[in-house]
Amino acid sequence: MTAVLSILHESWLSLRAQGLFKLTMGLNLLVIVAFASIGFTDTGVSMFFGLSHADSEHVNANSPWAKLLYLGIFSAIIVNVWLAWIATGLALLSTSSIFPNFVSQGAVELTLSRPISRTKIFLSKYCGGLLFVVMQVSVFTTGAFLAAGWRVGAWDPAIFLAIPLITLFYSYLFCINVFVGIWTRSTLTALIVTLVFWFSAFSLRTAENLVTRFVYSTEIQMQRDDERIGELMHQIETAHGPAITTFETRLDEQQKSLEANRTAHEKLEAWQGPLQVARWLVPETSGTINLLKRSLEHDASATFEDLMSGELFRESPRRNRNADFEADAKVSDRENARPVWWVLGKSLGFEAVVLAAAIWLFRRKDF
Amino acid sequence: MTSDAAITIRDAHKTFKGGVQALRGVSMTVNRGQIFGLLGPNGAGKSTLVKILMTVIHPTLIDGDLLGKPVGHRATLRRVGYLPEHHRFPVYLTAEQLLHYYGGLEGMRRPERRARIGELLDLTGMSAWARKKVGGFSKGMQQRVGLAQALLHDPELILLDEPTDGVDPVGRREIRQLLLHLQSQGRTILVNSHILAELEPICQQVAILVKGKLAREGTVAELTADRQRWEVEIDGPEPTWIDTLKGVDCRTEGTHHCLSIGGDAAPMVQQMIDLARGEGRTVRRVERIGESLEDLFIRSLEESGEADAATPGAASAGKAGK
């Protein structure tokens, strides 16, 4: 245990010595201050501690939606944009050199020659690398928790879920980084491969969602075509004179539309299958982060998206929306309905496989 | 029961990926309490052998013991100190933090480490730099801290790969004295070095590796015995009795003659002195000349038929490249 603690302590000292760690921490605090500067008045929303104000009849200090907006800004914007992209990018830049430096000639001998197994060294060093994110997100989340409590009285400990979730998300990328770092001993190669993997996983998820959205959209349109065809056939039966020709022309157009949608649906389904299989193989980067939003909105009667799109205050029912809008909602519902074990289980399974390969490489490699 | 040998290696082989044969059947023994010099040109396999003992490199084949346990037995490494060649310390740590880190890896508790660190920084002359970052240290200072980390956990066996690399002459002498001091405490020390003159006065035993094979092993005296000779320098013309003395060579040096005879030939030397004095000649010099470790080293390279052995790169069975 002393050896493991020594490696973790050394990792902490290494992070503390990095300018990028301090810079990211400073930026984190800046983002939290900006988040805390958002407040609610009787007439709307104030920003920058009251320097700017936007009137809103729906969202104000007396509205039940203020809390939804505030926590939504945290989970959907700050976490999704700042932590999941910018801070993660900075963390990757900062930690990519950990393993290549560690396994470089002259450095690795001093650690491997100790009475501690290579697996233990590897795992301790790996956890040491994750410290960067744990430290950053912990400070960030504590700030967000205090700001949310102060501004909207939402003393919601679920905010702290951001610490394990963001760390997990980062670990999916870091395991690739470590594997390549040990294999090639090159910081640059490890960083580039990790970035390529990250964008590939993101693109795969986006592509699968996009194709599924179109599949849903064509299904809805086919259903509507069917309904319209039924209506037109009924109208033809009951119509007289030249109106029949008009209805027949419309029926013909509707049938062509149905055929076109059916063809598109079949083509899209042919893509959907392989994309779903491919998505099974990669970790759920966005899905893991989305768990935080799901957790914060679990007992809310509406979502942040409904609030931002104005859907909450619209009187028209959902079924009157166009097919694309409905398909979007269906995809979103599908993503939110994915069980936690699916999101985390397959992602952790992926990480375990990559780490096992990295440990195998680290154990058998000559340095 | 403890064996007399601190290190026993039988038939060590290491072939790297790509076919580079770094070790080709090395066998040797390092006895407890000795300072053992491991010599060889670049690429001879010295560092590879030490790294195998320290589990940094996996051997292709080895049958050997380290402090009575099979090579690779991890718990035994707690009893071994190691200073690798061209070591690179984390530059952001101070000397004190660095020693705490490596002490922790050895499983030493903090209070134990604290006491030991102060002692070792004193011993290596680094106390004044305890709180300074290692990144700002000279090569010699880093070498001293390196020695301190190797000694931190009070090891029975110490493996030092080029310990005086980058150290100034005063520092080198201090390191030699330190090694003798450690030996006097009963520790065994294996030193891997290119600087033969440094090893000669302190090593009881040496082994010479050439292209992955053991060319010689033994005490310096044993290995150089057959190259010892006596020289007697006398005045006057070439002595006529020279032909009566078997094995004596004579060479003229100005107005003097230098008589030379190989091996342990003290009685013959006595006879030469008597004969010279009997003719009224002045005996200017009587000297027993031994082969230096450097001479032995060069001779080993020549005799092993490895004319290019002193060039960098290990022996290659095929396409080279690690």
Side-chain angles (χ1 to χ4, degrees):
Chain A
M1 195 58 191
T2 312
V4 172
L5 290 176
S6 284
I7 293 176
L8 290 176
H9 184 242
E10 190 271 338
S11 300
W12 161 239
L13 293 175
S14 144
L15 291 177
R16 215 180 55 176
Q18 286 186 31
L20 210 51
F21 181 80
K22 291 170 191 159
L23 174 76
T24 312
M25 193 62 95
L27 290 173
N28 266 330
L29 293 172
L30 210 62
V31 172
I32 283 299
V33 169
F35 179 57
S37 77
I38 301 171
F40 298 92
T41 62
D42 289 341
T43 55
V45 185
S46 74
M47 281 167 286
F48 307 114
F49 299 103
L51 285 176
S52 173
H53 188 272
D55 288 335
S56 170
E57 59 173 305
H58 299 299
V59 184
N60 51 52
N62 306 313
S63 147
W65 309 121
K67 182 179 166 186
L68 181 66
L69 177 72
Y70 205 74
L71 292 181
I73 290 172
F74 172 70
S75 62
I77 299 175
I78 295 182
V79 170
N80 259 335
V81 178
W82 166 247
L83 282 185
W85 286 99
I86 304 168
T88 299
L90 291 171
L92 273 178
L93 278 177
S94 197
T95 56
S96 277
S97 60
I98 290 180
F99 270 82
N101 283 347
F102 174 59
V103 297
S104 64
Q105 287 290 340
V108 70
E109 295 94 324
L110 288 159
T111 309
L112 295 187
S113 58
R114 310 290 167 176
I116 169 172
S117 75
R118 285 195 184 192
T119 304
K120 209 181 256 186
I121 292 172
F122 176 92
L123 290 174
S124 309
K125 200 78 191 165
Y126 183 73
C127 292
L130 293 179
L131 267 183
F132 184 102
V133 175
V134 173
M135 301 298 296
Q136 300 278 358
V137 181
S138 296
V139 170
F140 186 84
T141 307
T142 306
F145 176 75
L146 295 173
W150 172 41
R151 286 305 195 179
V152 290
W155 298 101
D156 191 350
I159 285 181
F160 287 104
L161 272 178
I163 302 172
L165 289 176
I166 298 288
T167 307
L168 271 177
F169 155 73
Y170 185 74
S171 71
Y172 308 152
L173 305 177
F174 192 52
C175 67
I176 296 285
N177 189 274
V178 165
F179 177 75
V180 179
I182 288 177
W183 189 16
T184 63
R185 301 191 193 192
S186 159
T187 300
L188 191 63
T189 310
L191 182 63
I192 290 171
V193 172
T194 309
L195 290 176
V196 168
F197 171 78
W198 184 13
F199 289 114
S200 302
F202 174 76
S203 307
L204 191 62
R205 181 182 191 269
T206 308
E208 199 269 328
N209 274 345
L210 207 62
V211 169
T212 303
R213 173 195 182 276
F214 285 123
V215 167
Y216 288 159
S217 172
T218 51
E219 275 171 3
I220 294 164
Q221 279 171 349
M222 278 157 61
Q223 195 188 340
R224 289 182 182 173
D225 286 339
D226 269 339
E227 286 169 9
R228 185 69 186 135
I229 286 168
E231 283 170 18
L232 286 168
M233 286 174 79
H234 178 70
Q235 283 169 330
I236 290 168
E237 280 170 18
T238 55
H240 302 282
I244 294 176
T245 316
T246 311
F247 287 135
E248 279 177 345
T249 309
R250 284 185 193 164
L251 178 66
D252 189 42
E253 281 169 6
Q254 206 64 51
Q255 279 171 335
K256 277 181 186 164
S257 164
L258 176 66
E259 198 49 44
N261 281 325
R262 187 171 287 135
T263 310
H265 186 260
E266 280 167 9
K267 281 184 183 168
L268 287 165
E269 270 193 330
W271 279 99
Q272 193 187 22
L275 281 171
Q276 279 177 340
V277 172
R279 191 174 162 182
W280 252 102
L281 299 175
V282 295
E284 284 293 315
T285 47
S286 311
T288 300
I289 290 171
N290 195 41
L291 288 177
L292 177 66
K293 188 168 161 291
R294 282 167 60 178
S295 173
L296 290 173
E297 289 179 353
H298 74 282
D299 57 352
S301 55
T303 66
F304 177 68
E305 284 74 23
D306 291 337
L307 180 68
M308 294 307 283
S309 64
E311 191 66 19
L312 261 182
F313 317 112
R314 201 171 287 166
E315 287 177 10
S316 54
R318 269 187 154 195
R319 62 185 168 82
N320 285 347
R321 296 173 187 166
N322 67 41
D324 288 343
F325 199 93
E326 239 179 82
D328 277 342
K330 218 171 157 184
V331 169
S332 175
D333 288 347
R334 182 193 70 152
E335 289 300 310
N336 288 333
R338 288 196 192 279
V340 174
W341 67 261
W342 187 87
V343 175
L344 296 185
K346 83 180 184 85
S347 305
L348 286 172
F350 171 87
E351 187 174 351
V353 169
V354 176
L355 283 184
I359 290 172
W360 176 79
L361 192 63
F362 184 65
R363 282 178 63 94
R364 68 183 292 275
K365 208 173 170 76
D366 289 328
F367 293 100
Chain B
M1 193 179 125
T2 53
S3 153
D4 281 345
I7 304 172
T8 312
I9 298 166
R10 291 174 291 272
D11 202 23
H13 286 262
K14 177 62 193 179
T15 304
F16 284 105
K17 209 162 76 177
V20 178
Q21 287 184 299
L23 295 175
R24 298 186 288 174
V26 173
S27 300
M28 63 182 219
T29 303
V30 178
N31 290 325
R32 284 178 193 265
Q34 276 189 340
I35 299 181
F36 188 101
L38 186 58
L39 318 176
N42 291 331
K46 309 180 300 290
S47 293
T48 301
L49 187 62
V50 173
K51 284 182 178 184
I52 285 174
L53 295 175
M54 297 310 296
T55 73
V56 177
I57 286 178
H58 302 286
T60 305
L61 179 74
I62 194 166
D63 175 18
D65 296 323
L66 194 71
L67 297 172
K69 298 284 181 187
V71 171
H73 184 256
R74 199 153 283 283
T76 304
L77 296 178
R78 187 162 287 135
R79 296 156 62 199
V80 185
Y82 173 47
L83 175 67
E85 187 186 12
H86 305 311
H87 53 75
R88 281 176 51 203
F89 293 132
V91 292
Y92 43 84
L93 297 183
T94 65
E96 210 170 58
Q97 286 171 335
L98 187 91
L99 294 176
H100 269 293
Y101 171 51
Y102 290 124
L105 290 181
E106 293 291 348
M108 295 170 73
R109 302 241 169 233
R110 197 167 179 83
E112 188 191 353
R113 293 198 306 252
R114 202 176 292 133
R116 197 69 187 130
I117 287 168
E119 200 180 304
L120 282 166
L121 287 175
D122 273 347
L123 187 70
T124 52
M126 291 298 292
S127 297
W129 287 274
R131 303 262 165 106
K132 299 273 188 254
K133 288 200 172 148
V134 175
F137 286 2
S138 69
K139 186 79 199 294
M141 289 161 85
Q142 293 207 13
Q143 207 68 1
R144 286 164 185 263
V145 178
L147 276 170
Q149 68 77 33
L151 303 174
L152 195 59
H153 51 294
D154 202 13
E156 293 167 44
L157 171 65
I158 303 157
L159 308 183
L160 306 172
D161 203 345
E162 303 291 353
T164 54
D165 188 19
V167 180
D168 60 36
V170 177
R172 287 179 180 197
R173 195 172 67 179
E174 284 172 5
I175 289 175
R176 282 201 302 272
Q177 285 166 350
L178 174 64
L179 297 185
L180 289 170
H181 171 68
L182 293 168
Q183 187 196 16
S184 72
Q185 294 176 332
R187 298 175 212 268
T188 310
I189 302 160
L190 185 144
V191 189
N192 179 355
S193 178
H194 290 107
I195 306 169
L196 307 177
E198 280 183 0
L199 291 182
E200 196 164 1
I202 59 168
C203 287
Q204 283 79 58
Q205 190 125 0
V206 293
I208 300 175
L209 282 186
V210 181
K211 287 209 166 179
K213 282 184 175 170
L214 189 70
R216 276 188 167 75
E217 186 191 2
T219 63
V220 177
E222 276 169 10
L223 295 175
T224 57
D226 60 335
R227 289 299 171 115
Q228 280 180 2
R229 67 183 195 279
W230 285 90
E231 283 189 358
V232 178
E233 199 175 295
I234 56 174
D235 277 347
E238 186 174 330
T240 52
W241 38 264
I242 195 79
D243 295 334
T244 63
L245 301 175
K246 199 177 169 189
V248 176
D249 292 328
C250 177
R251 68 172 188 274
T252 307
E253 290 178 353
T255 57
H256 314 130
H257 286 89
C258 183
L259 311 177
S260 167
I261 184 164
D264 189 14
M268 187 75 87
V269 171
Q270 197 58 53
Q271 199 181 342
M272 281 193 284
I273 294 168
D274 291 345
L275 285 167
R277 280 187 173 163
E279 290 179 347
R281 295 171 189 258
T282 304
V283 178
R284 292 184 162 271
R285 176 172 65 91
V286 177
E287 190 178 0
R288 186 179 180 180
I289 297 172
E291 188 180 30
S292 70
L293 198 52
E294 189 170 295
D295 295 335
L296 173 69
F297 179 74
I298 300 294
R299 185 158 61 91
S300 300
L301 297 190
E302 288 167 354
E303 285 178 8
S304 64
E306 306 285 2
D308 60 341
T311 58
S316 174
K319 194 178 164 188
K322 282 183 195 179

